[in-house]
Amino acid sequence: RIKRVTRVYWCSDPFNEMGSLRDLSPRSLPRWMAARQSRGLSGPATWEAGHSYAVIDVEAVDPQSGGLQQQRYRLNWGQGIKHGTNLSMLPQDHLPERKVTGDRLESDWEGTCSGDELYDLLKRWDGRLYDSAPSNNSNCHHFVQELIHRCTAELGYDAHRD
């Protein structure tokens, strides 16, 4: 059982649908045009190219000893064809590097939510339909924004949901 989230990492995959041009995905332009940083928002713009996902570090209660142990999971929303479900939570043993191209670590923050709060967030997203349209609040970037908003001290979105 997860006791609390200790760290949230925002990661992104390249825009694989572009084939050999996959690493040229325009991520900075949507972030700049959405003025996310100047509005005090963290995380992806809802309409940027590529795929956002999160990795979280958690403290979990060991069922045998009752002690706390550190675990790491990849939280993924919107790759239903690849994973068989739109929401997946899989053990993860490494973080991608901070780099310009490819699978990469974008940013990270101290976690602030309990295991129960994380469970409630995942329960709200479980069973939802993926929709890549930014206006429908159901793409991978929205999921990461909400995780940042609910499980860190950062603001992942505002009332306008860019």
Side-chain angles (χ1 to χ4, degrees), residues 7-132:
R7 196 109 198 126
V8 174
Y9 305 89
W10 164 37
C11 305
S12 66
D13 287 335
F15 195 31
N16 292 322
E17 290 81 359
M18 291 186 64
S20 62
L21 300 176
R22 70 192 207 109
D23 290 325
L24 298 177
S25 63
R27 298 176 188 171
S28 298
L29 183 61
R31 294 174 197 168
W32 178 77
M33 290 178 69
R36 291 187 58 75
Q37 190 171 23
S38 68
R39 292 187 293 147
L41 302 175
S42 297
T46 58
W47 50 281
E48 64 185 69
H51 177 71
S52 288
Y53 65 94
V55 174
I56 58 172
D57 289 339
V58 300
E59 284 183 348
V61 177
D62 183 309
Q64 295 171 336
S65 71
L68 293 177
Q69 56 182 223
Q70 296 294 318
Q71 298 175 345
R72 178 172 284 163
Y73 294 97
R74 176 180 171 141
L75 298 178
N76 204 31
W77 168 256
Q79 288 189 327
I81 293 172
K82 181 177 180 181
H83 295 288
T85 179
N86 277 329
L87 178 63
S88 61
M89 181 174 175
L90 302 170
Q92 177 94 2
D93 55 353
H94 71 284
L95 289 171
E97 296 176 38
R98 288 186 192 265
K99 57 185 181 175
V100 176
T101 62
D103 188 21
R104 65 187 186 204
L105 174 61
E106 299 279 359
S107 196
D108 64 290
W109 305 272
E110 181 179 348
T112 59
C113 68
S114 68
D116 288 340
E117 290 168 323
L118 175 65
Y119 176 77
D120 289 343
L121 182 147
L122 297 176
K123 193 172 167 185
R124 278 196 305 275
W125 281 84
D126 190 29
R128 288 176 65 175
L129 294 176
Y130 179 82
D131 188 335
S132 61

